[in-house]
Amino acid sequence: MLGRIMELILYKSYADLRAEASKTYINYLWWIIDPVLGMLVFYLVFGLLVQRGGEGYIAFLLTGLVIWNWYRQTVGHAGNAILNGKGLMNQVHVAKILFPLVVLLTDLTKFTVVFVLLLIFLWLSGFWPGPSYLALPVLLLVQLLLITAIALLLAGLVPYLPDLRFLVDNLLQLQFFVTGIFFSARDIPEQYQTWFFLNPMASLVEDFRAVLLHQAWPHGGRLGGVAIFSLLLLALAVAWIQSHDRDYPRTLS
């Protein structure tokens, strides 16, 4: 059963990626051109025009943006996955967890391209790899766990609470401004840093910057806390979707 689900996820993800690429003349090249143009915009605005933040600020900003965009885009897309799959589920029985997992895999594929481009930019800017790069797989895995947990939970709840989609958009916008994309945690008074790091994305962004920009190791305690929280939330999300698996077609009809 698990093997069949994995086969379906891989096939559907590949089909969705090909369908998305076919909508443009340059196909898969747009996955490279689009993030490069985005990085170029921030470089022109903050690096040449505004000249904010001093030396290294563009690398600091782009690192935060790339990590954040993976989270925001996947959570936003996967939250609607089961709702958008009602046409297929009304024709054939398929495990409903398939729909958000397909979105997770397609967005992970596109993030991989963007992350490689970020690494190349950082290396060209003088931020060379160091021993702390050994922590990158752990950081990426913990963020993937967090994204998967939140995405699955939202995907499972939205069919019952459709208005939740609009609330999530606003909450993501709020979270963006309190995650530290444009500023460092060091800029926050010490008495408020505990509250700041209750936001798991703030902790992850800070850890990615430590590894990629400062050749430092991530904060083990905070990273472990995010991992445990993500695993508990993931277990809850999977249990919810599985327990309502046969109810979704009736709810969405």
Side-chain angles (χ1 to χ4, degrees):
M1 179 65 178
L2 181 59
R4 177 60 176 166
I5 291 177
M6 289 303 301
E7 183 181 346
L8 287 171
I9 291 172
L10 291 173
Y11 175 78
K12 185 68 167 58
S13 300
Y14 174 70
D16 287 353
L17 288 169
R18 286 196 61 181
E20 182 178 336
S22 67
K23 295 178 182 178
T24 63
Y25 289 109
I26 55 177
N27 294 332
Y28 298 104
L29 282 177
W30 189 248
W31 295 359
I32 298 175
I33 295 174
D34 184 48
V36 168
L37 290 176
M39 291 182 182
L40 181 61
V41 168
F42 280 99
Y43 175 76
L44 292 174
V45 172
F46 290 96
L48 299 181
L49 299 180
V50 179
Q51 295 185 348
R52 177 185 173 184
E55 185 179 358
Y57 183 73
I58 296 302
F60 172 91
L61 177 61
L62 290 180
T63 300
L65 283 171
V66 168
I67 299 306
W68 168 261
N69 282 335
W70 178 26
Y71 169 82
R72 178 188 60 81
Q73 291 174 359
T74 308
V75 168
H77 295 159
N80 298 319
I82 293 178
L83 185 65
N84 293 337
K86 64 180 180 179
L88 178 60
M89 73 177 68
N90 286 329
Q91 299 176 30
V92 61
H93 174 69
V94 60
K96 309 312 177 291
I97 201 171
L98 168 77
F99 298 105
L101 289 179
V102 166
V103 175
L104 285 162
L105 183 56
T106 55
D107 280 354
L108 175 61
T109 303
K110 290 184 283 186
F111 165 74
T112 301
V113 175
V114 178
F115 190 67
V116 170
L117 292 174
L118 172 67
L119 292 179
I120 293 172
F121 171 81
L122 293 178
W123 298 338
L124 293 176
S125 301
F127 295 94
W128 300 106
S132 61
Y133 263 56
L134 293 173
L136 268 183
V138 178
L139 279 175
L140 291 167
L141 177 60
V142 171
Q143 180 160 354
L144 179 60
L145 281 174
L146 176 66
I147 290 172
T148 303
I150 296 176
L152 290 183
L153 186 61
L154 287 175
L157 292 176
V158 164
Y160 295 96
L161 301 168
D163 291 348
L164 186 60
R165 292 173 294 172
F166 309 110
L167 178 61
V168 167
D169 289 342
N170 286 281
L171 289 177
L172 284 173
Q173 186 175 14
L174 173 63
Q175 189 180 10
F176 171 75
F177 288 107
V178 298
T179 293
I181 305 301
F182 296 97
F183 59 88
S184 170
R186 295 189 296 272
D187 299 329
I188 299 175
E190 187 175 351
Q191 64 267 32
Y192 299 120
Q193 290 198 6
T194 300
W195 294 99
F196 176 73
F197 284 119
L198 288 178
N199 173 7
M201 279 305 300
S203 179
L204 286 169
V205 166
E206 196 73 10
D207 284 339
F208 272 104
R209 283 172 173 160
V211 170
L212 296 175
L213 305 181
H214 307 299
Q215 295 190 3
W217 296 94
H219 190 286
R222 290 199 305 262
L223 188 61
V226 174
I228 293 172
F229 168 77
S230 301
L231 287 171
L232 292 175
L233 192 62
L234 180 61
L236 174 64
V238 171
W240 172 270
I241 292 177
Q242 289 181 340
S243 65
H244 293 78
D245 189 83
R246 294 190 177 275
D247 295 334
Y248 286 116
R250 292 193 296 269
T251 303
L252 297 174
S253 61

